[in-house]
Amino acid sequence: MKSIAIIYGSTTDNTKDVADLIALKLIDYAPKLVDVAKVTPEDFLSADFIFIGASTWSIGELQDDWDTYLPKIKNLDLKGKLMTFFGAGDSYSYSDTFADALGILYEEFEKTGVEFVGSVSTEGYSFDYSRGVIDGKFVGLPFDPDNEDELTEERVDNWLKTLIPLLD
């Protein structure tokens, strides 16, 4: 069984709430839940499977704690580790930057040698553009707590069904 770290940045608790939900649904795997404001390099290095959570702010900006931490990942060698993303966005008010944080983080973590998993179809989402879409799919799970909160748990469940086989 792989060790799991769920590392998230959350300003209004929307991303924290989903991080907590993921941790609860993966309780049998004893995930370590870490706020990026308190994360250490060891939190990344000691995990086999890393879930990264962040929200998109304003017009496609990364959540502040992640923005502060990102320069520190340049020295991380994450080869042999699996990584996936989850993140909050507003698909109505910011339809042209929906869940951009996923793409921003993907671009930065791509330099660490990590293997990405957990892409999600864009089907069922209403938005115009997202940096989080690579090769026609989201690089992780976007959710919209402002406009589609009732879909969040179902989306998390469906996404985790694709990831759980990678945990054993």
Side-chain angles (χ1 to χ4, degrees):
M1 184 165 41
K2 290 186 173 42
S3 59
I4 299 172
I6 302 171
I7 303 169
Y8 67 91
S10 192
T11 302
T12 62
D13 284 345
N14 288 325
T15 304
K16 179 189 182 310
D17 291 346
V18 172
D20 289 340
L21 178 63
I22 292 166
L24 180 64
K25 291 182 180 285
L26 296 177
I27 195 77
D28 292 342
Y29 296 91
K32 182 175 183 182
L33 193 60
V34 184
D35 186 325
V36 72
K38 299 174 185 168
V39 76
T40 67
E42 185 58 27
D43 293 318
F44 287 96
L45 298 172
S46 65
D48 299 314
F49 197 122
I50 306 164
F51 287 73
I52 299 290
S55 50
T56 302
W57 283 91
S58 189
I59 303 173
E61 296 174 15
L62 192 57
Q63 191 268 345
D64 288 343
D65 296 323
W66 272 114
D67 205 34
T68 301
Y69 191 79
L70 272 185
K72 298 176 184 172
I73 71 161
K74 290 181 170 107
N75 298 324
L76 292 177
D77 179 0
L78 301 178
K79 288 180 187 83
K81 298 183 182 299
L82 299 177
M83 181 175 284
T84 193
F85 303 99
F86 62 98
D90 183 335
S91 62
Y92 296 143
S93 299
Y94 298 98
S95 178
D96 57 346
T97 59
F98 176 61
D100 272 2
L102 299 176
I104 294 167
L105 290 168
Y106 174 90
E107 291 164 9
E108 292 299 319
F109 278 102
E110 191 174 37
K111 301 167 191 170
T112 68
V114 72
E115 180 184 344
F116 297 110
V117 296
S119 62
V120 172
S121 171
T122 59
E123 190 175 320
Y125 289 90
S126 278
F127 67 100
D128 293 316
Y129 176 79
S130 175
R131 276 176 76 177
V133 175
I134 309 283
D135 296 329
K137 291 185 170 186
F138 286 107
V139 295
L141 177 71
F143 59 96
D144 185 344
D146 295 324
N147 305 294
E148 299 176 335
D149 195 43
E150 73 283 359
L151 299 174
T152 299
E153 186 165 4
E154 178 184 357
R155 286 176 171 166
V156 168
D157 287 342
N158 291 334
W159 180 58
L160 288 177
K161 284 178 193 172
T162 69
L163 297 173
I164 286 174
L166 302 173
L167 297 174
D168 294 323

